[in-house]
Amino acid sequence: MIDVHYWPTPNGWKVTIMLEECGLDYNIIPVDIGGGAQFTPEFLRISPNNRMPAIVDHEPLGGGAPLSIFESGAILEYLADKTGKFLPTQPAQRYAVLQWVHWQMANLGPMMGNANHFKNYGKNMVDDPKQLEYGTKRFVGEVDRLSGVLDARLSVSQYLADDYSIADMITWPWAFLIGRMLDEKMWETYPNLKRWVDEVGARPAVDKGFRVGRDLGKRELTDAEEKARRELLFNQTNDKVRAAREQAARGAAGSAAKAAG
Ligand SMILES: N[C@@H](CCC(=O)N[C@@H](CS)C(=O)NCC(=O)O)C(=O)O
């Protein structure tokens, strides 16, 4: 069985989509990132960057003790190696896939995260909206450029590599959101990207993986809870992370003492 430390976000969906595509059994362990669950000592032991997703495979490839992995790119590569699916072993075909996997991890994901932050969330974080202008221009511009990179590739190929692969699964959860985060009109400029978004999204395993834990993040937050959530997610420094870690550790010690009696 594979434990998936998860919250329903684009990086989380990558993992549930791959697990569904491979037909593997898994067990969802929610990590409420708005409530600080990513700072508990147990979670940091498997994911030291205080980010989800992470997995623990209790029957790991190669045998031995349970194996924990963080970073969605490494998780998908591992699951592909474990199942022999969606990542060819022949060098030319394998690296054709991995170059797009790394491209997504280093480009589309981070740039979209920043574009979404400056364009949508940022207004709740600063007093003067002018402070957002440069960041918005820079990151929205990058997402536009990256959409063009995807569109050009998909104008000559059905998928990012030769066949459907982990490159498509890792890119789709971000790509389908580009219009929603930035501007729905962008699809007119990128018809090949739109064709691929629709085609990959129509796969039953993609649809199922994307729906996992859909209700987890749905609770209405009070204004104070929403403010605390933003502070926790968008204002992380080493000192603040250390304080959150210590607070989570005190909470864990308190629960352990309570459980012991
Ligand atoms: N590069 C990482 C990024 C993971 C990531 O940014 N996860 C976000 C949710 S999508 C998170 O856990 N945020 C918690 C936080 O910011 O403290 C991956 O792909 O696994």
Side-chain angles (χ1 to χ4, degrees), residues 1-6 15-21 23-29 55-56 79 205 208-213:
M1 179 63 83
I2 297 175
D3 290 338
V4 186
H5 295 259
Y6 174 86
V15 177
T16 45
I17 287 171
M18 175 63 172
L19 287 160
E20 291 295 338
E21 289 282 14
L24 289 169
D25 284 338
Y26 59 97
N27 169 37
I28 293 289
I29 301 183
I55 63 166
V56 179
L79 294 173
K208 195 158 175 217
F210 168 58
R211 289 174 192 281
V212 171

Side-chain angles (χ1 to χ4, degrees), residues 9 11 14 33 38-39 50-53 71-72 105 233 236:
T9 72
N11 291 314
K14 296 170 183 176
I33 55 175
Q38 68 274 41
F39 299 110
N50 65 266
R51 299 283 189 273
M52 71 90 223
E71 282 294 324
S72 57
M105 295 297 295
L233 288 175
Q236 293 184 3

Side-chain angles (χ1 to χ4, degrees), residues 139-155:
F139 293 113
V140 170
E142 266 297 279
V143 175
D144 185 46
R145 182 185 71 80
L146 296 167
S147 301
V149 172
L150 283 171
D151 194 71
R153 171 61 188 157
L154 294 164
S155 71

Side-chain angles (χ1 to χ4, degrees), residues 76-148:
L76 264 66
E77 198 173 332
Y78 169 76
L79 294 173
D81 283 341
K82 179 172 168 137
T83 55
K85 291 180 178 167
F86 304 113
L87 178 59
T89 49
Q90 289 296 315
Q93 287 83 356
R94 184 176 180 88
Y95 291 105
V97 172
L98 288 178
Q99 64 188 354
W100 284 106
V101 167
H102 287 272
W103 176 87
Q104 189 287 321
M105 295 297 295
N107 292 273
L108 190 67
M111 294 306 140
M112 278 189 73
N114 283 321
N116 189 33
H117 181 85
F118 280 95
K119 193 168 186 315
N120 300 322
Y121 280 115
K123 51 184 170 295
N124 300 311
M125 301 299 290
V126 297
D127 295 327
D128 177 2
K130 279 207 164 321
Q131 284 182 279
L132 300 172
E133 278 173 14
Y134 178 75
T136 305
K137 185 166 177 290
R138 155 86 186 137
F139 293 113
V140 170
E142 266 297 279
V143 175
D144 185 46
R145 182 185 71 80
L146 296 167
S147 301

